[in-house]
Short mmCIF file of all heavy atoms in Angstrom, two decimals:
data_model
loop_
_atom_site.label_atom_id
_atom_site.label_comp_id
_atom_site.label_asym_id
_atom_site.label_seq_id
_atom_site.Cartn_x
_atom_site.Cartn_y
_atom_site.Cartn_z
N LEU P 129 -11.54 -11.69 0.25
CA LEU P 129 -11.95 -10.66 -0.71
C LEU P 129 -13.47 -10.63 -0.74
O LEU P 129 -14.12 -11.59 -1.16
CB LEU P 129 -11.38 -10.98 -2.09
CG LEU P 129 -11.51 -9.90 -3.14
CD1 LEU P 129 -10.73 -8.65 -2.75
CD2 LEU P 129 -11.01 -10.42 -4.48
N THR P 130 -14.05 -9.54 -0.26
CA THR P 130 -15.51 -9.48 -0.05
C THR P 130 -16.31 -9.53 -1.34
O THR P 130 -17.50 -9.84 -1.30
CB THR P 130 -15.89 -8.21 0.74
OG1 THR P 130 -15.37 -7.07 0.08
CG2 THR P 130 -15.34 -8.28 2.15
N THR P 131 -15.68 -9.26 -2.48
CA THR P 131 -16.42 -9.35 -3.75
C THR P 131 -16.47 -10.78 -4.29
O THR P 131 -17.11 -11.02 -5.30
CB THR P 131 -15.79 -8.42 -4.82
OG1 THR P 131 -14.41 -8.75 -4.96
CG2 THR P 131 -15.93 -6.96 -4.41
N SER P 132 -15.78 -11.71 -3.62
CA SER P 132 -15.86 -13.12 -4.01
C SER P 132 -16.88 -13.83 -3.12
O SER P 132 -17.42 -13.24 -2.18
CB SER P 132 -14.49 -13.79 -3.89
OG SER P 132 -14.09 -13.92 -2.54
N ALA P 133 -17.14 -15.08 -3.42
CA ALA P 133 -18.12 -15.86 -2.65
C ALA P 133 -17.65 -16.00 -1.20
O ALA P 133 -16.45 -16.02 -0.93
CB ALA P 133 -18.29 -17.23 -3.28
N PRO P 134 -18.59 -16.11 -0.28
CA PRO P 134 -18.21 -16.30 1.12
C PRO P 134 -17.42 -17.59 1.30
O PRO P 134 -17.64 -18.56 0.58
CB PRO P 134 -19.55 -16.38 1.86
CG PRO P 134 -20.54 -15.75 0.94
CD PRO P 134 -20.04 -15.99 -0.45
N PRO P 135 -16.52 -17.63 2.26
CA PRO P 135 -15.74 -18.85 2.49
C PRO P 135 -16.66 -20.04 2.81
O PRO P 135 -17.62 -19.91 3.56
CB PRO P 135 -14.88 -18.51 3.71
CG PRO P 135 -14.80 -17.03 3.71
CD PRO P 135 -16.11 -16.55 3.14
N GLY P 136 -16.35 -21.17 2.20
CA GLY P 136 -17.08 -22.40 2.48
C GLY P 136 -18.21 -22.73 1.53
O GLY P 136 -18.68 -23.86 1.51
N VAL P 137 -18.67 -21.78 0.71
CA VAL P 137 -19.74 -22.09 -0.24
C VAL P 137 -19.13 -22.71 -1.50
O VAL P 137 -17.94 -22.60 -1.75
CB VAL P 137 -20.60 -20.85 -0.59
CG1 VAL P 137 -21.22 -20.25 0.64
CG2 VAL P 137 -19.79 -19.82 -1.34
N SER P 138 -19.97 -23.35 -2.30
CA SER P 138 -19.46 -24.02 -3.50
C SER P 138 -19.37 -23.03 -4.66
O SER P 138 -20.13 -23.10 -5.62
CB SER P 138 -20.33 -25.22 -3.86
OG SER P 138 -21.65 -24.78 -4.10
N ASP P 139 -18.47 -22.10 -4.54
CA ASP P 139 -18.18 -21.12 -5.57
C ASP P 139 -16.75 -20.65 -5.30
O ASP P 139 -16.12 -21.08 -4.35
CB ASP P 139 -19.18 -19.96 -5.50
CG ASP P 139 -19.27 -19.16 -6.79
OD1 ASP P 139 -18.45 -19.41 -7.71
OD2 ASP P 139 -20.13 -18.27 -6.88
N ASN P 140 -16.25 -19.75 -6.12
CA ASN P 140 -14.88 -19.28 -5.93
C ASN P 140 -14.81 -18.23 -4.82
O ASN P 140 -15.41 -17.16 -4.93
CB ASN P 140 -14.33 -18.69 -7.23
CG ASN P 140 -14.13 -19.74 -8.29
OD1 ASN P 140 -13.80 -20.88 -7.97
ND2 ASN P 140 -14.33 -19.38 -9.54
N SER P 141 -14.10 -18.57 -3.78
CA SER P 141 -13.87 -17.67 -2.66
C SER P 141 -12.38 -17.33 -2.65
O SER P 141 -11.54 -18.22 -2.72
CB SER P 141 -14.26 -18.37 -1.35
OG SER P 141 -14.06 -17.51 -0.27
N VAL P 142 -12.07 -16.06 -2.58
CA VAL P 142 -10.68 -15.62 -2.65
C VAL P 142 -10.20 -15.20 -1.26
O VAL P 142 -10.82 -14.35 -0.61
CB VAL P 142 -10.50 -14.45 -3.65
CG1 VAL P 142 -9.06 -13.97 -3.67
CG2 VAL P 142 -10.97 -14.87 -5.04
N ILE P 143 -9.09 -15.82 -0.83
CA ILE P 143 -8.45 -15.47 0.43
C ILE P 143 -7.05 -15.01 0.09
O ILE P 143 -6.29 -15.74 -0.55
CB ILE P 143 -8.43 -16.65 1.41
CG1 ILE P 143 -9.86 -17.04 1.76
CG2 ILE P 143 -7.64 -16.29 2.66
CD1 ILE P 143 -9.97 -18.29 2.60
N ALA P 144 -6.71 -13.80 0.48
CA ALA P 144 -5.41 -13.21 0.17
C ALA P 144 -4.57 -13.13 1.43
O ALA P 144 -5.10 -13.02 2.54
CB ALA P 144 -5.59 -11.82 -0.43
N GLY P 145 -3.25 -13.17 1.25
CA GLY P 145 -2.34 -13.03 2.38
C GLY P 145 -0.94 -12.73 1.88
O GLY P 145 -0.63 -12.96 0.70
N HIS P 146 -0.11 -12.24 2.76
CA HIS P 146 1.27 -11.94 2.40
C HIS P 146 2.07 -13.23 2.31
O HIS P 146 2.06 -14.04 3.22
CB HIS P 146 1.91 -11.00 3.44
CG HIS P 146 1.35 -9.62 3.40
ND1 HIS P 146 1.58 -8.77 2.35
CD2 HIS P 146 0.58 -8.95 4.29
CE1 HIS P 146 0.97 -7.62 2.60
NE2 HIS P 146 0.35 -7.70 3.76
N ARG P 147 2.78 -13.41 1.22
CA ARG P 147 3.53 -14.65 1.00
C ARG P 147 4.75 -14.77 1.90
O ARG P 147 5.28 -15.86 2.07
CB ARG P 147 3.96 -14.75 -0.46
CG ARG P 147 4.98 -13.72 -0.84
CD ARG P 147 5.43 -13.87 -2.25
NE ARG P 147 6.39 -12.81 -2.55
CZ ARG P 147 6.90 -12.63 -3.72
NH1 ARG P 147 6.58 -13.42 -4.71
NH2 ARG P 147 7.76 -11.65 -3.92
N ASP P 148 5.20 -13.68 2.49
CA ASP P 148 6.39 -13.75 3.34
C ASP P 148 6.06 -13.75 4.84
O ASP P 148 6.95 -13.80 5.66
CB ASP P 148 7.35 -12.60 3.03
CG ASP P 148 6.71 -11.24 3.17
OD1 ASP P 148 5.48 -11.16 3.27
OD2 ASP P 148 7.44 -10.23 3.17
N THR P 149 4.77 -13.73 5.18
CA THR P 149 4.39 -13.81 6.59
C THR P 149 3.38 -14.94 6.78
O THR P 149 3.77 -16.09 6.92
CB THR P 149 3.85 -12.47 7.11
OG1 THR P 149 2.77 -12.04 6.29
CG2 THR P 149 4.94 -11.40 7.14
N HIS P 150 2.11 -14.62 6.76
CA HIS P 150 1.08 -15.61 7.05
C HIS P 150 1.04 -16.76 6.04
O HIS P 150 0.75 -17.89 6.41
CB HIS P 150 -0.30 -14.94 7.12
CG HIS P 150 -0.35 -13.92 8.20
ND1 HIS P 150 -0.19 -12.58 7.96
CD2 HIS P 150 -0.48 -14.05 9.55
CE1 HIS P 150 -0.26 -11.92 9.10
NE2 HIS P 150 -0.43 -12.79 10.07
N PHE P 151 1.32 -16.48 4.79
CA PHE P 151 1.28 -17.54 3.77
C PHE P 151 2.65 -18.07 3.40
O PHE P 151 2.82 -18.76 2.39
CB PHE P 151 0.56 -17.03 2.51
CG PHE P 151 -0.95 -17.05 2.61
CD1 PHE P 151 -1.72 -16.55 1.58
CD2 PHE P 151 -1.60 -17.56 3.72
CE1 PHE P 151 -3.10 -16.58 1.64
CE2 PHE P 151 -2.98 -17.58 3.80
CZ PHE P 151 -3.74 -17.09 2.76
N ALA P 152 3.67 -17.81 4.20
CA ALA P 152 5.02 -18.30 3.91
C ALA P 152 5.06 -19.83 3.86
O ALA P 152 5.85 -20.40 3.10
CB ALA P 152 6.00 -17.78 4.96
N PHE P 153 4.20 -20.50 4.60
CA PHE P 153 4.18 -21.95 4.61
C PHE P 153 3.76 -22.55 3.26
O PHE P 153 4.05 -23.72 2.98
CB PHE P 153 3.27 -22.48 5.72
CG PHE P 153 1.80 -22.38 5.40
CD1 PHE P 153 1.12 -23.44 4.83
CD2 PHE P 153 1.11 -21.21 5.65
CE1 PHE P 153 -0.23 -23.35 4.53
CE2 PHE P 153 -0.24 -21.10 5.35
CZ PHE P 153 -0.91 -22.17 4.78
N LEU P 154 3.10 -21.77 2.42
CA LEU P 154 2.60 -22.30 1.14
C LEU P 154 3.72 -22.78 0.23
O LEU P 154 3.49 -23.66 -0.60
CB LEU P 154 1.74 -21.25 0.42
CG LEU P 154 0.39 -20.96 1.05
CD1 LEU P 154 -0.33 -19.85 0.30
CD2 LEU P 154 -0.47 -22.21 1.12
N LYS P 155 4.93 -22.24 0.39
CA LYS P 155 6.03 -22.70 -0.46
C LYS P 155 6.40 -24.15 -0.16
O LYS P 155 7.04 -24.81 -0.98
CB LYS P 155 7.25 -21.78 -0.33
CG LYS P 155 7.89 -21.74 1.02
CD LYS P 155 9.02 -20.74 1.07
CE LYS P 155 9.42 -20.50 2.51
NZ LYS P 155 10.20 -19.32 2.67
N ALA P 156 5.99 -24.67 1.00
CA ALA P 156 6.29 -26.05 1.36
C ALA P 156 5.11 -27.00 1.15
O ALA P 156 5.23 -28.19 1.41
CB ALA P 156 6.74 -26.11 2.82
N VAL P 157 3.98 -26.47 0.67
CA VAL P 157 2.82 -27.33 0.42
C VAL P 157 3.11 -28.26 -0.75
O VAL P 157 3.63 -27.83 -1.78
CB VAL P 157 1.55 -26.47 0.15
CG1 VAL P 157 0.39 -27.32 -0.34
CG2 VAL P 157 1.16 -25.71 1.39
N LYS P 158 2.77 -29.53 -0.56
CA LYS P 158 2.99 -30.54 -1.59
C LYS P 158 1.66 -31.02 -2.14
O LYS P 158 0.62 -30.89 -1.48
CB LYS P 158 3.78 -31.70 -1.01
CG LYS P 158 5.19 -31.33 -0.60
CD LYS P 158 5.92 -32.53 -0.02
CE LYS P 158 7.34 -32.23 0.36
NZ LYS P 158 7.63 -31.04 1.05
#
Side-chain angles (χ1 to χ4, degrees):
L129 190 63
T130 54
T131 55
S132 69
V137 301
S138 60
D139 200 353
N140 292 327
S141 181
V142 178
I143 297 174
H146 290 291
R147 68 178 178 184
D148 57 347
T149 55
H150 299 99
F151 280 177
F153 76 94
L154 289 176
K155 64 184 167 196
V157 171
K158 294 180 178 45

